[in-house]
Amino acid sequence: MSYEQALTALADPTRRAVFERLRAGPQPVGELARHLPISRPAVSQHLKVLKDAGLVSDRAEGTRRIYHIDPHGLGALRRWLDQFWETALDAFAAEAERTSDKP
Amino acid sequence: MSYEQALTALADPTRRAVFERLRAGPQPVGELARHLPISRPAVSQHLKVLKDAGLVSDRAEGTRRIYHIDPHGLGALRRWLDQFWETALDAFAAEAERTSDKP
DNA sequence: CTTGTTCGTAAGACATGGCTTACGGTAAGC
DNA sequence: GCTTACCGTAAGCCATGTCTTACGAACAAG
């Protein structure tokens, strides 16, 4: 939901691995855990954090829960980053002009 | 430099506070610490992490070191995010089409 | 109804990371 | 040269977070 949760969620390397694996398409928990060096409950805990951050969503399919990437959290992070990006560029341009001070 | 370092750097709330304070313009370490609820050495440590991530740079000015935002690290993070953003949108569109399956 | 899968949650051990105090180094001012 | 101001680093304490094992719930199959 908020960009802060998205940042803390994506800070963990294992959680990024889970997240990037979902790029290949929606997958159940067990499928994700099978290709990762951690246990299945650990994957569940990571998915909970990602879900709270609005980065993933899940749908039930029998006894399995299929997780997929949710653009919502990614959008919040992107907006914050873009807003930051502009002011950073402006400051950088102003600094460049200040350094080469030859009117 | 890498997007991974930028993510872990921006995950910490205090470090975000330092970073966002630099948005107002280049500032020395003491000035940053004066407006934050932590000690000056703590600010130095945070600045080191931000610098290693390519998010800030510093220049010496007498005995003071002026820190400013560096677009380099921000750009790396932005590229990674954008690349992720596209595939997420594509998957979302495909999913929407799959759900409303009425040919 | 019983069995087997798949999953989430709880509890505990363990490592990681952030903060403080203490110290040394460098530059400016008198 | 001496003092003062500003900063980075080291050591240690403490909180946070991550992982594992153990357990219980929900659904499908037979």
Side-chain angles (χ1 to χ4, degrees):
Chain A
M1 202 62 102
S2 66
Y3 71 93
E4 307 164 5
Q5 285 179 332
L7 280 173
T8 52
L10 293 175
D12 183 71
T14 306
R15 207 146 44 211
R16 272 199 304 271
V18 172
F19 190 57
E20 299 191 353
R21 264 216 159 266
L22 285 176
R23 243 179 121 183
Q27 297 176 32
V29 181
E31 180 71 17
L32 288 168
R34 190 172 305 121
H35 300 281
L36 290 173
I38 57 177
S39 69
R40 184 195 50 77
V43 176
S44 271
Q45 293 167 0
H46 283 305
L47 285 170
K48 176 180 174 58
V49 176
L50 289 171
K51 184 177 176 181
D52 288 346
L55 289 168
V56 302
S57 298
D58 62 329
R59 62 168 182 271
E61 192 160 298
T63 106
R64 298 188 299 182
R65 314 206 106 235
I66 313 294
Y67 281 83
H68 58 91
I69 292 184
D70 184 2
H72 207 278
L74 225 51
L77 184 54
R78 219 173 92 100
R79 279 191 300 273
W80 175 78
L81 196 61
D82 275 12
Q83 150 195 339
F84 227 106
W85 177 255
E86 295 182 11
T87 64
L89 278 195
D90 289 352
F92 190 74
E95 171 67 14
E97 190 165 353
R98 190 192 68 87
T99 304
S100 67
D101 220 353
K102 285 135 190 162
Chain B
M1 201 65 100
S2 66
Y3 71 94
E4 307 163 5
Q5 285 179 332
L7 280 173
T8 51
L10 292 175
D12 183 72
T14 307
R15 207 144 45 208
R16 273 200 305 270
V18 171
F19 191 57
E20 297 191 355
R21 265 216 158 264
L22 285 176
R23 243 179 122 182
Q27 297 177 30
V29 181
E31 179 69 19
L32 288 167
R34 190 172 305 122
H35 300 281
L36 289 172
I38 58 177
S39 69
R40 184 195 51 77
V43 176
S44 270
Q45 293 168 1
H46 282 306
L47 286 170
K48 176 180 176 56
V49 177
L50 290 171
K51 184 178 177 182
D52 288 345
L55 290 167
V56 302
S57 298
D58 62 329
R59 62 169 182 269
E61 192 161 299
T63 109
R64 299 189 299 183
R65 312 205 108 238
I66 312 296
Y67 280 83
H68 58 90
I69 291 183
D70 185 0
H72 206 279
L74 224 51
L77 184 54
R78 218 173 92 99
R79 280 192 300 274
W80 175 79
L81 196 61
D82 275 12
Q83 148 196 338
F84 228 107
W85 176 254
E86 295 182 11
T87 65
L89 279 196
D90 289 352
F92 190 73
E95 171 66 15
E97 189 166 353
R98 190 192 68 86
T99 304
S100 67
D101 219 355
K102 285 135 192 162

